[in-house]
Amino acid sequence: MKKQGTIVKTNKMEIKVHSLGRVEGDLDVKVAIEDGVVVDAWTEATMFRGFEMILKGKDPQAGLIVTPRICGICGGSHLTKAVYALDTAWGTEVPPNATLIRNIAQAAETIQSIPRWFYALFAIGLTHRNYASSKLYDEVVRRWAPFEGEHYEIGVTVSAKPVEIYAIFGGQWPHSSFMVPGGVVSAPTLSDITRSISILEYYRENWLEKILLGCSAERWLENKTWDDVLAWLDEKPEHRDSDLGLFIRYSMEIGLDKYGAGPGRYLAAGSFFNPQRYRYPTIAGRNAALISRSGIFDGEKFHDFDQARIREDHTHSFYRGSGSYHPFEGLTDPVDPIEGRKEGKYTFAKAPRYDIPGIGETPLEVGPLARQVIAGRPGAEEWQDYDPLFLNMIKEIGPSVMVRVLARLHEAAKYYLRMKEWLKQIDLNEKFYIKPKELPEGRGFGATEAARGALADWIQIKDGKIENYQVITPTAWNIGPRDRHGQRGPIETAMIGVPIKNPEDPVELAHIAQSYDSCLVCTVHAYDAKSHKELAKYEVIKMC
């Protein structure tokens, strides 16, 4: 991080860090530090997103064109939830082949992001000079140094392969709109299926098993507890010396397993549908048809996911008023930040909350760790994912930066195997699209799991036009601000208790933000380009 100057008068200080995330957009964080430890934090999305306002009054299918442009990284995920929102609003029939291809496309985008995020966005921070005294430091630099690291180059290069599969079915990636209500507008051939399997095998042979795991995907997925992972680490030199093995050992040495826990409460909207069980998509029938299950974990108990319990709080966000609204009643009415700050507002991100029965509106972490904790819920149906590893890990060693990163790397093996199975299930002699009836009135809800977490759309249609459209992104869940009850957002909570070695270069804060992979392009887009206001600088400044 670029240093702008920090003056320490006492053992108490505040610092503000600009552009903390490495992915598109800007995340600013202000933290209060006492005796070298963070005691309070405020996250700030510095620019306004207005896609909901753009969509109002448009044709209902405009969401299929506009929302994939929200993000150049998760455009396929945006398309996936947008099409399911319309499927539920129009009451379509979706042939099983179309569901399989939607699943494959969603998974392809996710496994693309895993090596790209790990090497290009997260692991380069581990080469920071703060850790030069570690006995593993030289090896970490040799493998993961930006642009020069041996595995950095391999990981970034291989990350481009899975989206070739997306392009085979979707015509392009990113910003495709090939998923439509009633199916997909592609008709793959046997050659397309064969090419896709070949690309998946390239991903496995050249990175997943050779570089990341040091073993087969199946062997890694045999690990069901943290003790299993430790035993796996010692089982063979190939495991210990793999990138996953090195990451675990290095994390425990430099303390990434000791901070960044977050709220300890999780939400997953779920993703990937059983092709036969979601032929007629409805909001009510969604949970039962999911392969990667939805759910809430409140730190002690699991709860079923119900989109009707989601709220967005505006109290500390640069939007008019201070209410808390369900997205069907959601408002997007921005105010000038200068005026908003007079009311205690400090960010353009709203504060998503989930009304947990018996607890109330609660900030929840979303993302790979949330998904894998929910995967540990007992009672999965035969076609659904059951995987207790990360539920065991948060109980045995607690959540942390290390555990959150491990959850994301873990998904590379799971999704690779699922994609292979879905490709085999496509029946080239059956339909891929059934033309729906375009209803002039309706309400729809669609959701999926983007690489970085739960992503959902709510659409209301009136007189054949969009009456209201609301999007809640995973980054909004994680970087959202305080709410009217004074509850911090998940990343704000994750910052508390973090030891800062050097306040002028607080790399520890970056590790936390980047472990969530906050993507502000999903949350912010443009704000008053003619004002000449400072929007973002990569710096640390003294606040008091």
Side-chain angles (χ1 to χ4, degrees):
M1 266 168 276
K2 183 180 178 181
K3 182 182 74 174
Q4 291 292 310
T6 303
I7 302 171
V8 181
K9 294 180 180 178
T10 67
N11 62 347
K12 299 180 180 179
M13 62 187 305
E14 288 187 354
I15 61 174
K16 187 171 183 179
V17 187
H18 291 287
S19 303
L20 201 59
R22 286 198 173 92
V23 77
E24 300 171 66
D26 304 296
L27 169 63
D28 289 1
V29 175
K30 184 176 75 173
V31 295
I33 300 174
E34 287 186 20
D35 299 324
V37 176
V38 174
V39 295
D40 211 346
W42 298 261
T43 54
E44 179 180 354
T46 57
M47 293 186 286
F48 170 61
R49 183 193 74 187
F51 281 92
E52 291 91 344
M53 299 167 72
I54 293 171
L55 285 165
K56 189 175 177 65
K58 298 289 193 302
D59 184 281
Q61 296 188 78
L64 308 176
I65 307 298
V66 173
T67 66
R69 271 75 181 175
I70 290 176
C71 181
I73 297 173
C74 297
S77 302
H78 278 280
L79 176 62
T80 301
K81 46 69 171 164
V83 76
Y84 279 115
L86 262 184
D87 279 323
T88 56
W90 282 353
T92 65
E93 178 182 358
V94 179
N97 272 341
T99 300
L100 289 168
I101 290 180
R102 291 178 182 184
N103 288 350
I104 292 165
Q106 172 67 83
E109 185 173 83
T110 300
I111 68 167
Q112 164 271 150
S113 80
I114 294 171
R116 186 167 300 181
W117 158 79
F118 181 72
Y119 294 102
L121 302 178
F122 182 81
I124 58 177
L126 304 182
T127 65
H128 194 281
R129 293 295 299 173
N130 269 11
Y131 312 122
S133 62
S134 165
K135 61 184 179 183
L136 297 172
Y137 181 75
D138 289 344
E139 181 63 14
V140 166
V141 171
R142 187 186 73 79
R143 296 190 195 186
W144 302 339
F147 305 109
E148 299 176 346
E150 182 181 344
H151 293 181
Y152 174 95
E153 180 180 357
I154 295 171
V156 172
T157 302
V158 167
S159 73
K161 301 303 289 185
V163 289
E164 292 179 12
I165 299 173
Y166 196 108
I168 286 172
F169 295 108
Q172 67 180 67
W173 183 91
H175 307 321
S176 175
S177 296
F178 82 107
M179 300 179 196
V180 296
V184 295
V185 289
S186 59
T189 63
L190 181 59
S191 175
D192 293 331
I193 305 296
T194 305
R195 285 172 59 201
S196 298
I197 293 173
S198 176
I199 292 168
L200 264 184
E201 290 308 296
Y202 181 92
Y203 182 87
R204 176 184 65 82
E205 293 174 4
N206 290 277
W207 177 70
L208 177 61
E209 295 184 349
K210 179 180 179 182
I211 301 293
L212 179 66
L213 302 177
C215 66
S216 69
E218 291 84 352
R219 170 63 191 92
W220 166 255
L221 293 175
E222 290 175 5
N223 296 324
K224 303 302 181 187
T225 66
W226 175 240
D227 286 343
D228 287 348
V229 172
L230 294 178
W232 169 87
L233 204 58
D234 292 333
E235 185 177 300
K236 291 181 178 179
E238 290 87 346
H239 300 175
R240 186 186 65 242
D241 296 333
S242 67
D243 274 5
L244 192 61
L246 176 62
F247 173 73
I248 294 171
R249 291 184 292 129
Y250 190 60
S251 294
M252 297 174 73
E253 187 172 316
I254 66 175
L256 294 184
D257 59 331
K258 298 294 191 298
Y259 64 82
R265 292 173 166 176
Y266 305 95
L267 176 148
S271 61
F272 312 127
F273 290 102
N274 181 300
Q276 299 297 337
R277 296 178 182 275
Y278 213 46
R279 290 192 66 140
Y280 303 93
T282 63
I283 298 175
R286 184 176 181 278
N287 284 349
L290 285 165
I291 296 173
S292 292
R293 292 175 289 166
S294 61
I296 312 297
F297 183 66
D298 68 12
E300 295 182 0
K301 295 186 299 182
F302 288 99
H303 304 264
D304 291 341
F305 172 80
D306 180 357
Q307 62 81 31
R309 290 185 170 275
I310 292 175
R311 301 288 184 275
E312 285 191 298
D313 191 296
H314 297 183
T315 304
H316 293 285
S317 308
F318 295 136
Y319 299 95
R320 205 166 306 284
S322 58
S324 179
Y325 304 98
H326 182 271
F328 277 138
E329 285 75 46
L331 303 172
T332 303
D333 187 6
V335 300
D336 189 305
I338 295 175
E339 296 302 315
R341 290 187 192 281
K342 296 175 183 176
E343 302 174 23
K345 298 173 183 288
Y346 61 91
T347 176
F348 271 113
K350 298 176 183 175
R353 296 291 184 264
Y354 189 91
D355 183 12
I356 300 177
I359 296 177
E361 294 181 10
T362 306
L364 299 170
E365 175 175 337
V366 302
L369 179 55
R371 287 194 287 269
Q372 295 311 312
V373 169
I374 299 302
R377 183 179 187 177
E381 300 289 349
E382 178 270 330
W383 67 87
Q384 294 181 316
D385 181 33
Y386 172 67
D387 183 351
L389 175 58
F390 284 86
L391 180 61
N392 172 269
M393 286 176 68
I394 65 167
K395 290 180 176 178
E396 292 295 321
I397 62 174
S400 64
V401 170
M402 180 188 79
V403 173
R404 189 172 296 113
V405 171
L406 283 176
R408 188 147 178 188
L409 296 175
H410 179 74
E411 290 186 334
K414 296 179 76 169
Y415 290 4
Y416 154 75
L417 291 172
R418 285 183 193 158
M419 287 178 69
K420 277 182 60 176
E421 288 303 310
W422 291 328
L423 284 164
K424 294 175 184 175
Q425 293 173 23
I426 293 174
D427 185 343
L428 297 175
N429 297 313
E430 294 295 331
K431 295 179 179 178
F432 291 82
Y433 171 72
I434 298 172
K435 185 174 176 55
K437 185 177 181 181
E438 299 182 15
L439 303 179
E441 313 280 337
R443 279 184 166 190
F445 165 72
T448 188
E449 289 283 332
R452 53 187 57 80
L455 174 62
D457 282 6
W458 287 258
I459 183 173
Q460 291 188 82
I461 304 169
K462 183 178 180 182
D463 298 329
K465 303 292 183 184
I466 294 174
E467 176 71 8
N468 194 9
Y469 204 104
Q470 292 291 319
V471 181
I472 298 184
T473 65
T475 293
W477 278 102
N478 287 331
I479 71 153
R482 287 160 171 74
D483 56 28
R484 68 187 188 286
H485 305 297
Q487 300 178 104
R488 298 183 184 91
I491 291 184
E492 291 178 334
T493 299
M495 298 285 181
I496 306 299
V498 177
I500 303 298
K501 184 176 181 179
N502 178 4
E504 297 187 32
D505 191 5
V507 66
E508 298 87 353
L509 301 180
H511 292 330
I512 294 172
Q514 290 155 13
S515 74
Y516 280 95
D517 195 20
S518 52
C519 177
L520 274 291
V521 76
C522 293
T523 305
V524 297
H525 287 276
Y527 176 68
D528 196 6
K530 297 180 181 179
S531 70
H532 303 296
K533 295 176 182 176
E534 178 185 275
L535 296 179
K537 290 172 67 176
Y538 206 53
E539 61 180 8
V540 179
I541 60 174
K542 183 75 168 58
M543 298 300 291
C544 65

